[in-house]
């Protein structure tokens, strides 16, 4: 089955007992066991729930894994995945990760004795150099948030394998529609399903998927032990959202290309961060490992132009955190999503105060273009000091 058919028919996509084409929501905490000491398929909904299980089998299928695990949020999925490691273990982390992941690492996991080295994943020799005797894993995002940097999954996985490390990729920005890290050599894929997979900004959920038997067993154990599982209602809603991922992504991509084209040709825009732009540093690697370049764009206005004025003059595109929904969302990372990173460190990473991040939705292209043009026009009464 090809990908778009899998979205609808993959994994467990109908109810085995009734044939219902939408998996029922099994809102039960416990299940009647017929004999004492038997091995029933369902016992207790933290350990396993049929609705969650249907979702988990679907996402395993979509990411070409053998097992999927659904969590209460992307952060919970990332936390459970890092919980495979123990005090004294060392993990190499990409230098541009989601602000909440940065916080989880620095304010929580370090307290439990995990050690981290932050590395620019675009620099393969730096990745290899960061490997220590106690290194156990490499964790990164590609494209990254918010700079859309591209890391070469295949090459990094090769380095990891040479040193017997596990490779974990946060595939939230690309989605399985555009990129399958497990097929490129990674061991675990994590997602904030809150974003494109849910797709409608009405759900918080997370996923971890693996193609390794031992890791699958470990993640199943951790999911049940830590208990940050996704409930049946949200599991159903996520599977419902996933069915239209392909249809949504195609419109996301069309609109993104139109907006990139507009921004590239406007003198008020100083710099665009978009993996599909042939002038962008990560373009060649992105072309190699992604089916399409995704629908996230970051950009900077010319020095002296006020990003707040641009955003406040938009009519349709909403000022909001989050991304990947059907509605276009815009934000300033330095003030909003990445505010938790100290300014000096932020600037060192390349996240300027002026950086604007746009999650392109699936509204009509004409309306989006008109809105961006309106925002840009509002800047014209300001002076540009080049
Ligand atoms: C949002 C996000 C997360 C965290 O997911 P939540 O569902 O908000 O907990 C992790 N990684 C990336 C890339 C994200 O965008």
């Amino acid at each position: 089955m090809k990908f778009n058919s899998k979205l609808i028919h993959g994994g467990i996509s109908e109810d085995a007992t009734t044939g219902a084409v939408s998996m029922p929501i099994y809102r039960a905490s416990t299940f009647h066991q017929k004999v004492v000491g038997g091995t029933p398929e369902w016992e207790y909904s933290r350990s396993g729930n049929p609705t969650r299980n249907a979702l988990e089998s679907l996402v395993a299928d979509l990411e070409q894994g053998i097992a999927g695990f659904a969590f209460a949020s992307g952060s919970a999925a990332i936390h459970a995945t890092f919980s495979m490691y123990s005090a004294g273990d060392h993990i190499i982390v990409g230098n541009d990760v989601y602000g909440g992941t940065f916080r989880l690492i620095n304010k929580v996991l370090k307290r439990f004795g995990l050690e981290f080295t932050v590395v620019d994943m675009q620099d393969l020799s730096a990745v290899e150099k960061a490997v220590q005797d106690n290194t156990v894993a490499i964790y990164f995002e590609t494209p990254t948030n918010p700079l859309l940097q591209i890391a070469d999954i295949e090459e990094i996985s090769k380095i990891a394998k040479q040193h017997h490390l596990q490779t974990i990729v946060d595939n939230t920005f690309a989605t399985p529609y555009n990129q399958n890290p497990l097929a490129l050599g990674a061991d675990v894929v994590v997602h904030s399903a809150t974003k494109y997979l849910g797709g409608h900004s009405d759900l918080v959920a997370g996923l971890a998927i693996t193609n390794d038997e031992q890791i699958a067993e470990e993640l199943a154990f951790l999911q049940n032990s830590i208990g940050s599982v996704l409930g049946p209602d949200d599991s159903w809603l996520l599977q419902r959202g996933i069915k239209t991922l392909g249809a949504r992504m195609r419109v996301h991509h069309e609109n993104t290309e139109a907006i990139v084209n507009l921004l590239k040709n406007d003198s008020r825009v100083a710099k665009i961060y978009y993996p599909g732009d042939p002038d962008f540093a990560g373009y060649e690697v992105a072309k190699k490992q992604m089916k399409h370049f995704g629908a996230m764009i970051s950009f900077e206005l010319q020095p002296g132009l006020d990003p707040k004025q641009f955003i406040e003059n938009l009519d349709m595109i909403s000022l909001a955190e989050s991304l990947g929904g059907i509605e276009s969302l815009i934000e300033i990372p330095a003030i909003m999503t990445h505010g938790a990173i100290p300014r000096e460190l932020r600037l060192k990473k390349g996240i300027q105060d002026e950086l604007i991040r746009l999650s392109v939705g699936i509204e009509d292209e004409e309306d989006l273009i008109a809105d961006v043009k309106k925002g840009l026009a509002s800047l014209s009464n300001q002076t540009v000091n080049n």
Side-chain angles (χ1 to χ4, degrees):
M1 218 186 291
K2 297 188 75 171
F3 189 82
N4 290 298
S5 309
K6 256 195 211 173
L7 289 169
I8 296 155
H9 303 288
I12 299 170
S13 292
E14 64 173 53
D15 182 29
T17 44
T18 62
V21 297
S22 165
M23 189 67 190
I25 301 172
Y26 284 93
R27 207 186 276 118
S29 59
T30 192
F31 300 82
H32 180 177
Q33 302 189 21
K34 304 290 185 223
V35 293
V36 176
T39 49
E41 188 176 6
W42 309 107
E43 294 172 349
Y44 184 64
S45 273
R46 170 161 42 71
S47 327
N49 172 282
T51 313
R52 193 180 85 220
N53 184 246
L55 166 72
E56 291 174 332
S57 73
L58 172 62
V59 297
D61 213 358
L62 298 179
E63 282 290 15
Q64 303 178 30
I66 57 164
F69 302 91
F71 295 88
S73 68
S75 304
I78 295 166
H79 172 254
T81 302
F82 276 130
S83 300
M84 293 195 293
Y85 310 117
S86 307
D89 285 347
H90 172 253
I91 299 156
I92 297 168
V93 197
N95 68 343
D96 191 25
V97 294
Y98 174 69
T101 303
F102 178 84
R103 181 176 54 208
L104 175 68
I105 287 170
N106 284 294
K107 302 249 166 103
V108 183
L109 298 173
K110 282 186 180 173
R111 288 202 277 120
F112 291 85
L114 292 184
E115 296 168 18
F116 295 90
T117 300
V118 173
V119 172
D120 178 354
M121 289 291 156
Q122 300 169 111
D123 181 352
L124 294 173
S125 67
V127 175
E128 180 131 41
K129 260 191 226 136
V131 178
Q132 306 174 177
D133 289 346
N134 59 341
T135 306
V136 290
I138 306 179
Y139 177 96
F140 60 99
E141 300 172 9
T142 181
T144 65
N145 177 15
L147 296 174
L148 288 315
Q149 290 172 353
I150 302 296
D152 192 321
I153 300 172
E154 206 170 357
E155 291 303 320
I156 294 172
S157 302
K158 270 189 210 156
I159 295 172
K161 285 206 168 66
Q162 276 161 17
H163 296 273
H164 309 289
L165 317 176
Q166 291 170 344
T167 304
I168 306 162
V169 179
D170 182 334
N171 202 29
T172 300
F173 270 40
T175 84
Y177 181 86
N178 281 325
Q179 176 173 284
N180 294 119
L182 298 180
L184 297 167
D187 303 292
V188 183
V189 171
V190 294
H191 278 281
S192 170
T194 311
K195 316 294 167 53
Y196 289 101
L197 294 175
H200 295 71
S201 305
D202 53 9
L203 165 76
V204 173
L207 301 166
I209 300 130
T210 182
N211 56 4
D212 180 283
E213 291 281 357
Q214 221 175 328
I215 295 175
E217 241 175 72
E218 183 73 11
L219 285 175
F221 168 79
L222 290 165
Q223 182 193 39
N224 187 38
S225 301
I226 297 171
S228 51
V229 294
L230 192 65
D233 290 70
D234 283 345
S235 294
W236 178 86
L237 189 57
L238 179 51
Q239 183 156 13
R240 156 79 129 80
I242 287 173
K243 291 180 194 198
T244 57
L245 178 69
R248 283 184 282 114
M249 290 313 289
R250 289 193 284 277
V251 184
H252 278 300
H253 292 150
E254 265 176 41
N255 286 346
T256 303
E257 277 167 16
I259 292 177
V260 167
N261 193 38
L262 170 67
L263 294 175
K264 261 208 100 152
N265 293 302
D266 195 293
S267 61
R268 289 161 291 204
V269 177
K271 191 166 179 192
I272 300 179
Y273 300 80
Y274 181 63
D277 175 1
D279 298 330
F280 189 66
Y283 174 72
E284 289 300 332
V285 178
K287 212 169 85 174
K288 182 180 75 161
Q289 68 188 14
M290 300 177 79
K291 184 168 150 209
H292 192 279
F293 304 102
M296 295 299 297
I297 311 168
S298 290
F299 60 101
E300 286 160 18
L301 299 173
Q302 294 289 358
L305 294 180
D306 182 4
K308 282 187 213 156
Q309 181 166 346
F310 170 76
I311 289 175
E312 284 169 4
N313 277 283
L314 299 172
D315 287 332
M316 189 175 72
I317 302 171
S318 313
L319 173 65
E321 302 209 357
S322 198
L323 60 112
I326 47 178
E327 61 288 280
S328 295
L329 302 175
I330 200 159
E331 65 121 5
I332 301 177
I335 302 174
M336 300 170 66
T337 48
H338 293 65
I341 305 174
R343 180 165 186 270
E344 208 170 299
L345 189 55
R346 226 168 39 220
L347 292 174
K348 223 173 99 192
K349 287 170 183 280
I351 304 170
Q352 304 296 328
D353 293 336
E354 295 79 19
L355 188 76
I356 298 170
R357 188 188 80 180
L358 174 61
S359 169
V360 181
I362 63 167
E363 299 94 340
D364 278 309
E365 181 181 312
E366 291 77 5
D367 291 328
L368 285 170
I369 294 292
D371 213 21
V372 174
K373 279 187 175 165
K374 179 170 175 279
L376 289 169
S378 79
L379 300 167
S380 298
N381 52 4
Q382 292 186 4
T383 37
V384 179
N385 30 1
N386 281 317

